[in-house]
Amino acid sequence: TQRYSLLLFVPGRAPFDLAWNRDDLHGVKLYIQRVFIMDAAEQLVPRYLRFLRGVVDSSDLPLNVSREILQDSPLLKKIRATVVKRALDMIEKLAESGGEPWDAFQRDFGAILKEGLIEDPEQRDRIARLVRFSSTASQAPHSVGLSDYLERAGDSADTIWYLTADSVRQALDSPHLEAFRAQGTEVLLLTDPIDAWVVNHLFEFDGKPLRSVADGPPTSDNDQDEAESDASDEAAGGAVGRIRAALGERVADVRASRRLTDSASCVVDPSGLDPRMRRMLEQAGQPVPQATPRLEVNPAHPLVRT
């Protein structure tokens, strides 16, 4: 029987550079027969749990262990799986208790935990139940879970809608929200830098797909609304044609929008690439597919009518 013991805890406050220093794996220390060997390598603690603190002690590893030996050690793989399980158990209990300790965890470590949605497919479902976002229903940071969203949406909900932005204020000002706001549909506001990457890996939750509001607007079952929309399209035909002629090749198309209620127009990326992700890739010098934007105009807006 292979023996080892763990002592793990989540600190009350994060180091100032924990969010971006992914190589900081000094929180959990490895001991062999109570002799300190090294700070925990990634073979022992995944990077998305780098906020953990504690010790691991084993009597079944050689004292002259090297990182190369650790890489292929079945015992270390078993210990790593236990570290992940115990850590997620601990975070789940913290979530059940709620209150200030849970709020503090989300404030300091919530964005780091989201990295696990990308890096650890085996634990993706458990982690998805622990991550938090803002939303149009609750704008406080890290206050809405995916389960909360579906509970409020009810049994009729078939989609989890989201919008990525640099801040909640910026998200709330987005014209893409207008149709959702008019229909009373809650939208998650994804403002952590990691969120733009998360939605490229977390495609669904409890069988409900995650979709960007840029793919919207939500469908309407109201025949009168559809008829009014068609009439509005016809009335805007002249304005749309003149705008299309004026912009030429600078836009892929100009069309009357069904997503706008208050704004005069909005720009849509037909490639489907999230605008925040596009900007991050460009800043990192990564190749980004070129796409000519589509302009949508609101036929009912006084500016368009004029």
Side-chain angles (χ1 to χ4, degrees):
T1 302
Q2 295 174 321
R3 295 170 298 168
Y4 59 89
S5 56
L6 308 174
L7 175 62
L8 302 173
F9 67 95
V10 177
R13 182 176 300 176
F16 76 96
D17 63 343
L18 184 65
W20 64 84
N21 186 5
R22 285 172 45 81
D23 293 326
D24 180 14
L25 293 172
H26 301 297
V28 178
K29 301 183 182 299
L30 175 62
Y31 288 75
I32 297 177
Q33 299 176 32
R34 299 186 181 181
V35 176
F36 173 69
I37 301 299
M38 65 179 69
D39 289 309
E42 192 174 1
Q43 295 94 321
L44 197 58
V45 180
R47 294 182 186 276
Y48 69 90
L49 293 176
R50 60 186 178 274
F51 51 79
L52 286 179
R53 297 294 182 263
V55 295
V56 175
D57 187 24
S58 173
S59 300
D60 295 313
L61 287 169
L63 283 171
N64 61 345
V65 68
S66 66
R67 290 188 181 273
E68 290 72 22
I69 294 176
L70 288 178
Q71 186 74 36
D72 300 320
S73 169
L75 176 56
L76 255 294
K77 292 178 181 178
K78 182 178 180 180
I79 294 176
R80 187 183 195 273
T82 303
V83 168
V84 172
K85 181 182 183 303
R86 295 283 179 85
L88 294 179
D89 287 346
M90 185 164 46
I91 297 170
E92 285 170 348
K93 289 180 181 179
L94 196 61
E96 292 174 4
S97 301
E100 175 55 28
W102 175 239
D103 293 341
F105 174 87
Q106 284 295 333
R107 182 171 60 249
D108 288 344
F109 309 118
I112 297 172
L113 182 64
K114 290 177 182 178
E115 295 174 13
L117 296 170
I118 303 169
E119 299 173 355
D120 195 347
E122 292 184 3
Q123 301 294 339
R124 186 170 292 157
D125 184 67
R126 287 189 74 182
I127 297 171
R129 297 181 184 280
L130 294 170
V131 297
R132 298 291 184 266
F133 310 91
S134 300
S135 83
T136 51
S138 178
Q139 296 159 24
H142 305 112
S143 59
V144 179
L146 296 172
S147 298
D148 301 328
Y149 180 102
L150 291 178
E151 184 177 349
R152 280 196 289 267
D155 296 335
S156 61
D158 58 1
T159 303
I160 299 173
W161 294 98
Y162 69 85
L163 170 66
T164 62
D166 291 329
S167 67
V168 171
R169 183 69 268 164
Q170 183 190 71
L172 292 173
D173 289 339
S174 172
H176 290 286
L177 283 182
E178 293 178 7
F180 295 86
R181 190 178 287 122
Q183 293 189 18
T185 301
E186 183 176 2
V187 176
L188 296 176
L189 308 178
L190 278 53
T191 57
D192 285 331
I194 191 66
D195 289 340
W197 300 91
V198 163
V199 293
N200 288 317
H201 294 79
L202 184 65
F203 302 112
E204 66 174 20
F205 178 78
D206 279 356
K208 311 294 184 182
L210 274 73
R211 290 182 61 192
S212 168
V213 295
D215 299 335
T219 56
S220 172
D221 297 328
N222 192 317
D223 294 337
Q224 181 178 353
D225 288 347
E226 293 294 332
E228 290 177 356
S229 179
D230 292 340
S232 188
D233 287 354
E234 184 177 350
V240 167
R242 287 193 293 275
I243 295 171
R244 185 183 295 118
L247 293 176
E249 295 182 355
R250 285 179 288 177
V251 293
D253 191 18
V254 179
R255 65 178 62 172
S257 178
R258 286 180 169 84
R259 75 177 76 233
L260 300 175
T261 60
D262 301 318
S263 300
S265 64
C266 70
V267 173
V268 178
D269 186 343
S271 72
L273 183 63
D274 181 83
R276 198 177 188 203
M277 175 65 78
R278 176 181 290 276
R279 188 167 67 252
M280 291 169 65
L281 291 173
E282 289 173 345
Q283 291 171 346
Q286 298 295 317
V288 181
Q290 296 299 314
T292 305
R294 182 177 74 239
L295 180 68
E296 295 189 4
V297 298
N298 179 3
H301 196 277
L303 180 63
V304 177
R305 298 165 89 179
T306 300

